[in-house]
Amino acid sequence: MTDNRFDFRLYMLQRLSALLMVPFVLVHLGVMIYAIRGGLSAAEILGRTQGSLAWFAFYGTFVVAVSVHTALGLRAILGEWAGLRGKARDGLSVVIALMLLALGARAIWAVTMGGSL
Amino acid sequence: MSQPVVPSRTRADGEKLSVTLERGGPDGASYRQTFDVPAYDKQTVLDVVSWIQQNADPSVSYRFACRVGMCGSCAMMVNGVPRWTCRTHVSKVAKGGAMELAPLRNLPVIKDLVTDMDAFFDKWGAAEARHHPSQTRDDPIAAIDPDSPERQIADAAIECINCAVCYAACDTVAGDPDYLGPAALQRAWTLYNDAKEADPEAVLDAVTAKGGCHSCHSIGSCTAYCPNALDPVSAIAGLKRASAKRFFGARKR
Ligand code: SF4
Ligand code: SF4
Ligand code: FES
């Protein structure tokens, strides 16, 4: 990268994605406890999430933040522990981000939109 | 009345230390060599190396100048830990009468216990850790309030002796050849807070470039091992805060 401040921008992106995930994680934990305590069945849960734009937006943003944050963390590890530099490191990090994004997107689509189509 | 470099206060019990040196240079393979050194009271690690060089093997290379913790040239790995050897007492570090000495970690070896510190000093330059004058010699001397919070922050790190102990202790330096390291970044933080510094934004530019303050993982080995009890990890945290604020548009002055 010719941009000298590229790494610093990624650092800010990792901090901001972490910041974003704080409320997401809390709500996600709360929802899980609520669903289990209340004894909701899988069908009942799907009945509430399917077709819901709100849940789609919530978990969609969550998945994007997780993909970005995780890939950036692994990018640092790939550099310091595996000795990868330059394009090899950046390329592998992008692949990791896309894989996480694909996995997450598939799950969200199935839970929120899948049934309504 | 000055003391000889190697005092003759050998202990009455005739006890010996077993001292293993890691030797060799960039061209020859490194090897280990063990010496028996007479023990005496209040002996420093540097005294031990001096005794070996003066009495057992004159070809042993090592570096020192002041012997009082001022010049920063005598640091070595002592039993695997980076230390200033002129102010480290053998009694504090020897294990069962034995001690292992090696050249400082994270720097290339020139010969035996002498490392090439160029990379360490070059990074001070790369961190823009140099004063940008705000006035000329013809201006009246600006009054600085020693109690102002900014001056207190700047003062916190001025006792750095450039010994590179923190640089040797840092795992991020070990893993990332671009990383500027704790000492250079700490000096950059000092300058950033100096009221007489003309260009604090240039300092932030330098420490947010590749290998800058954002590469630090805040584990704090630098602060744990600094022989002068300085606190580079907090200085680096200050740089991270200042550069994050600037990311959102804040400027210092
Ligand atoms: S806190 Fe930062 S500078 Fe200090 S040892 Fe850890 S990574 Fe290195
Ligand atoms: S911060 Fe401490 S350990 Fe690092 S170079 Fe300065 S005096 Fe040595
Ligand atoms: S010889 Fe100067 S600091 Fe140790």
Side-chain angles (χ1 to χ4, degrees):
Chain A
M1 283 290 158
T2 46
D3 179 0
N4 212 11
R5 228 162 309 287
F6 181 64
D7 283 9
F8 178 69
R9 294 215 179 85
L10 294 184
Y11 163 88
M12 287 307 298
L13 193 59
Q14 198 183 17
R15 267 56 193 176
L16 292 173
S17 59
L19 211 62
L20 201 61
M21 281 194 293
V22 172
F24 285 159
V25 169
L26 292 177
V27 172
H28 178 62
L29 286 174
V31 166
M32 281 199 309
I33 291 168
Y34 169 77
I36 291 168
R37 283 279 183 85
L40 287 181
S41 70
E44 282 168 330
I45 292 173
L46 284 176
R48 296 177 188 202
T49 56
Q50 274 174 348
S52 162
L53 259 185
W55 282 121
F56 178 79
F58 177 85
Y59 277 109
T61 322
F62 197 171
V63 161
V64 171
V66 167
S67 308
V68 166
H69 189 82
T70 310
L72 287 175
L74 288 171
R75 181 178 179 272
I77 294 172
L78 287 173
E80 285 176 39
W81 289 55
L84 289 188
R85 300 267 169 262
K87 288 210 174 83
R89 177 165 75 143
D90 291 340
L92 192 53
S93 308
V94 170
V95 169
I96 291 168
L98 291 177
M99 268 168 50
L100 289 169
L101 197 62
L103 284 172
R106 203 173 140 251
I108 293 165
W109 191 260
V111 172
T112 61
M113 295 295 150
S116 65
L117 291 180
Chain B
M1 286 279 283
S2 66
Q3 288 279 344
V5 174
V6 181
S8 53
R9 288 172 280 119
T10 356
R11 289 207 322 225
D13 54 14
E15 198 191 314
K16 299 264 189 201
L17 293 163
S18 170
V19 181
T20 303
L21 304 189
E22 195 176 301
R23 300 197 59 184
D27 304 323
S30 79
Y31 60 99
R32 291 150 63 85
Q33 193 177 0
T34 302
F35 297 90
D36 282 337
V37 180
Y40 55 88
D41 294 330
K42 303 204 174 104
Q43 192 175 20
T44 67
V45 174
L46 184 63
D47 291 336
V48 166
V49 184
S50 294
W51 187 93
I52 293 173
Q53 201 266 343
Q54 290 174 16
N55 299 284
D57 186 344
S59 76
V60 169
S61 298
Y62 67 116
R63 183 163 47 207
F64 74 96
C66 70
R67 295 193 293 126
V68 290
M70 299 290 290
C71 71
S73 61
C74 66
M76 297 170 203
M77 303 303 287
V78 180
N79 288 336
V81 170
R83 293 184 183 279
W84 53 1
T85 56
C86 68
R87 294 196 62 183
T88 301
H89 281 258
V90 170
S91 56
K92 288 239 172 73
V93 290
K95 290 188 182 117
M99 201 164 58
E100 293 194 13
L101 305 178
L104 212 49
R105 180 177 175 242
N106 290 341
L107 289 164
V109 175
I110 295 175
K111 180 174 175 283
D112 298 343
L113 301 167
V114 180
T115 54
D116 180 353
M117 296 179 76
D118 274 0
F120 174 71
F121 291 120
D122 286 347
K123 286 176 178 178
W124 283 63
E128 205 56 40
R130 62 173 77 108
H131 179 57
H132 307 89
S134 49
Q135 294 187 323
T136 70
R137 63 173 67 230
D138 303 318
D139 294 311
I141 295 174
I144 299 290
D145 174 9
D147 294 326
S148 74
E150 258 203 336
R151 189 61 231 171
Q152 300 267 320
I153 297 173
D155 274 347
I158 52 172
E159 298 291 345
C160 174
I161 59 168
N162 310 2
C163 65
V165 162
C166 55
Y167 192 82
C170 176
D171 285 343
T172 306
V173 170
D176 181 356
D178 292 325
Y179 180 45
L180 297 173
L185 289 170
Q186 176 176 249
R187 177 52 52 91
W189 179 237
T190 298
L191 282 166
Y192 182 77
N193 289 290
D194 190 333
K196 294 186 178 182
E197 167 60 42
D199 201 355
E201 301 303 331
V203 175
L204 275 197
D205 283 345
V207 301
T208 51
K210 199 169 163 58
C213 62
H214 52 276
S215 300
C216 163
H217 296 309
S218 310
I219 297 166
S221 302
C222 47
T223 296
Y225 289 102
C226 174
N228 266 335
L230 304 183
D231 187 8
V233 64
S234 298
I236 297 169
L239 288 174
K240 286 176 177 170
R241 268 195 311 276
S243 46
K245 280 186 194 155
R246 190 170 78 152
F247 183 81
F248 294 109
R251 291 291 177 274
K252 190 168 157 64
R253 14 181 133 104

